[in-house]
Amino acid sequence: MDRNKRFEGKIAVITGGASGLGKCSAMTLAAEGAVACIFDLDEVKGPEAVKEIEAAGGKAEFFKCNITEEAEVKAAYEGVVAKYGSVDLLHANAGIIDIPRYIHEMSFEQWYRVININLNGMWLAAKYAITQMLKQDGGVIVFTGSNWANVCDPGFTSYAASKAAVVNLGRNLALDYAKDNIRVNVVCPGNMMTPLLERQLSTEEDPEATLEAMGQISQPQEIANLVAFLLSDEASAMKGSAVTIDQGETLGYRPGLRVTKK
Ligand SMILES: NC(=O)c1ccc[n+]([C@@H]2O[C@H](COP(=O)([O-])OP(=O)(O)OC[C@H]3O[C@@H](n4cnc5c(N)ncnc54)[C@H](O)[C@@H]3O)[C@@H](O)[C@H]2O)c1
């Protein structure tokens, strides 16, 4: 297998592909030959990501789609299949985080917004990908979970619950569809330097101190490399795994894990 062309001829859908990890994943998959179909709400950053991929010699297309709206998700997949004929790879990744709130101070709408995008949106992305993959000779899916599927932070119930649910959504789908040649895994990143984290930090009283306390922050490319591996045939034995990739953050003492430059 040519390591630089692992996805030649493959059609990939990346939800949340206009920004952060999703954009990096789209660029990585396209660089190795896939057509990157970006499903995202953002009508400015989505087409910009496509231009960047094309400028780097890759193939991409933007499909405007709110991942929580079933009709829009279905239509976006229909658009991909009409133009490209298949859906071979899915990186189900679109997600949000809210500011921390204890549940007695949280409205049901605030809770539901996170659950709806982070869990229901993942379910919808997977449902229509799998429906198409069953008509082909299978496919591969990677969900973006979080290391907060396993650890908690004060005030983040909606995020932690949604990400824990994504892990078992992925594991159960791996079990359900292994016989159909559909492989499913989950990546569980720790803190990653993306617009999501930047927005989160800007709500803190002392962003610099918060950043320092977080320990080593990953770059999206470090996570996209794992996503690409899991989507590739090199990971043929990986089914239903939730892979933590978090600079050791879940080990405990975070600042102690930071690399100090000499
Ligand atoms: N940044 C981190 O520290 C971190 C850590 C662990 C896990 N994650 C997860 O990684 C994933 C990507 O996050 P990111 O940090 O790249 O964030 P980001 O905000 O940079 O990108 C998220 C993308 O999702 C899109 N999106 C949001 N809601 C949508 C919807 N309803 N329909 C379609 N698209 C929608 C946004 O427009 C955006 O382009 C998320 O699932 C997030 O929970 C992030």
Side-chain angles (χ1 to χ4, degrees), residues 56-176:
K59 291 190 192 124
E61 185 163 340
F62 173 60
F63 294 82
K64 184 184 178 284
C65 164
N66 183 340
I67 208 66
T68 64
E69 293 295 330
E70 182 163 14
E72 291 186 28
V73 176
K74 187 167 179 283
Y77 275 110
E78 283 168 356
V80 172
V81 174
K83 182 147 181 198
Y84 299 107
S86 66
V87 175
D88 305 303
L89 313 172
L90 166 64
H91 181 193
N93 164 79
I96 59 164
I97 194 165
D98 200 357
I99 57 166
R101 289 186 180 92
Y102 289 97
I103 145 169
H104 68 280
E105 297 163 333
M106 188 190 296
S107 69
F108 181 70
E109 286 71 25
Q110 288 163 342
W111 160 263
Y112 189 72
R113 181 170 162 263
V114 175
I115 297 295
N116 199 25
I117 295 173
N118 288 10
L119 178 57
N120 298 342
M122 295 283 187
W123 187 89
L124 281 170
K127 175 182 164 71
Y128 288 99
I130 287 172
T131 302
Q132 175 58 32
M133 287 170 180
L134 289 172
K135 296 177 190 164
Q136 317 162 177
D137 57 353
V140 194
I141 297 175
V142 171
F143 289 97
T144 301
S146 166
N147 63 354
W148 286 8
N150 294 314
V151 295
C152 300
D153 238 20
F156 284 105
T157 47
S158 58
Y159 190 78
S162 70
K163 292 300 185 179
V166 165
V167 166
N168 257 10
L169 171 65
R171 282 159 47 86
N172 219 116
L173 289 176
L175 183 66
D176 292 348

Side-chain angles (χ1 to χ4, degrees), residues 7 80 87 120 139 174 210 224 230 257:
F7 306 113
V80 172
V87 175
N120 298 342
T210 306
L230 290 170
L257 294 162

